[in-house]
């Protein structure tokens, strides 16, 4: 999962893109989140101050873009049939905290890569959308492709997965969660999540 963390970190950079006559709502959403995050962090170099900015100002920008319930359902997969509503609620809450911590920790390091939004491609599924960006190293020697996968809900377009070089964040978590549930049940993975969150807070 390390490439996913690196890609998340690289979102906090300057970027260029060609304006379209009518951009899809999902493209506008990703651009807005990236722009606002850059603006909040670009003048702060102190790690602890940046950490507070991320928690207090960046998280509120990111949260509305992500469908944490859908993310949890996809991660749990068939295991969702073995848990009750209270366990699902706790699982979703803990997974949300983990995702935000991963995202926030990635933003603690600043760099000068360039983000280019790739041409938007329509699909035959009206309720799904993918926004693709390419993260280019300053030297231009290498790049990383990141896909934001959106699902249209009654509340609007929400991210339910991300892919980095075709590696799915949902699939990565699903493998870890499934293995842990097989070994120690849902209570085992909940305990595992709590420990990871506490360990991160103590850093």
């Amino acid at each position: 999962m390390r490439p996913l963390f690196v890609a998340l970190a690289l979102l906090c950079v300057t970027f260029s893109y060609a304006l379209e006559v009518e951009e899809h709502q999902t493209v506008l959403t990703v651009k807005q989140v990236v722009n606002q995050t850059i603006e909040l962090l670009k003048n702060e170099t102190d790690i602890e101050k940046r950490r507070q900015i991320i928690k207090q100002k960046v998280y509120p920008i990111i949260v509305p873009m992500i469908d944490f319930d859908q993310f949890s359902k996809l991660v749990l997969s068939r295991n969702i049939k073995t848990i009750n509503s209270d366990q699902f609620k706790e699982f979703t809450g803990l997974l949300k905290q983990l995702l935000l911590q991963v995202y926030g920790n990635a933003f603690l390091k600043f760099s000068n890569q360039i983000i280019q939004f790739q041409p938007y491609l329509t699909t035959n599924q009206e309720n799904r959308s993918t926004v693709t960006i390419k993260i280019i190293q300053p030297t231009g020697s290498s790049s990383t492709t990141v896909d934001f996968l959106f699902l249209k809900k009654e509340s609007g377009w929400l991210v339910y997965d991300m892919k980095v070089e075709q590696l799915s964040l949902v699939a990565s978590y699903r493998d870890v969660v499934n293995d842990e549930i097989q070994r120690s049940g849902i209570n085992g993975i909940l305990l595992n999540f709590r420990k990871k969150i506490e360990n991160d807070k103590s850093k």
Side-chain angles (χ1 to χ4, degrees):
M1 295 177 65
R2 186 175 182 80
L4 290 163
F5 304 160
V6 174
L8 285 172
L10 297 180
L11 286 176
C12 192
V13 296
T14 56
F15 65 93
S16 62
Y17 54 83
L19 291 176
E20 300 176 10
V21 177
E22 291 185 9
E23 293 183 311
H24 195 274
Q25 181 58 50
T26 55
V27 178
L28 294 174
T29 297
V30 175
K31 286 181 178 179
Q32 183 180 36
V33 168
V34 172
N35 269 328
Q36 291 179 339
T37 302
I38 292 170
E39 188 63 27
L40 288 167
L41 297 173
K42 67 180 183 180
N43 296 322
E44 185 55 71
T45 58
D46 182 82
I47 293 296
E48 287 307 314
K49 290 181 179 179
R50 189 178 295 170
R51 193 188 304 274
Q52 291 305 310
I53 292 173
I54 288 170
K55 290 180 178 179
Q56 296 172 10
K57 297 182 178 181
V58 175
Y59 284 176
I61 295 172
I62 301 168
V63 168
M65 186 177 75
I66 304 174
D67 188 342
F68 292 102
D69 279 356
Q70 183 67 20
F71 196 104
S72 294
K73 291 175 183 177
L74 293 173
V75 168
L76 284 166
S77 187
R78 63 180 181 276
N79 292 302
I80 197 170
K81 297 179 180 180
T82 66
I83 66 176
N84 58 44
S85 59
D86 288 338
Q87 290 170 325
F88 177 77
K89 183 177 180 179
E90 182 177 4
F91 178 88
T92 301
L94 293 172
L95 185 58
K96 176 181 177 179
Q97 290 185 64
L98 283 175
L99 291 173
L100 289 177
Q101 284 183 349
V102 168
Y103 195 88
N105 288 341
F107 274 121
L108 289 177
K109 294 184 179 180
F110 216 68
S111 56
N112 293 312
Q113 287 78 9
I114 296 172
I115 291 184
Q116 291 184 343
F117 281 77
Q118 302 303 292
Y120 181 76
L121 301 177
T122 59
T123 68
N124 56 4
Q125 294 181 296
E126 295 183 357
N127 68 332
R128 293 182 185 271
S129 172
T130 300
V131 177
T132 302
I133 63 175
K134 183 172 287 187
I135 305 166
I136 304 172
Q137 297 300 322
T139 61
S141 59
S142 62
S143 64
T144 303
T145 300
V146 181
D147 298 313
F148 295 85
L149 280 63
F150 285 83
L151 182 66
K152 190 173 185 180
K153 311 292 282 287
E154 291 185 2
S155 57
W157 289 95
L158 298 173
V159 173
Y160 68 92
D161 193 9
M162 281 180 59
K163 292 182 179 180
V164 179
E165 297 295 340
Q166 297 302 309
L167 177 61
S168 164
L169 184 58
V170 163
S172 297
Y173 270 103
R174 182 189 295 139
D175 291 341
V176 172
V177 168
N178 183 64
D179 288 345
E180 184 64 31
I181 289 179
Q182 296 306 311
R183 286 196 299 268
S184 53
I186 186 62
N187 290 328
I189 193 62
L190 293 177
L191 179 60
N192 181 291
F193 278 5
R194 292 190 207 104
K195 288 181 178 179
K196 286 183 177 180
I197 291 168
E198 289 304 314
N199 288 339
D200 187 84
K201 287 181 179 179
S202 64
K203 291 181 181 179

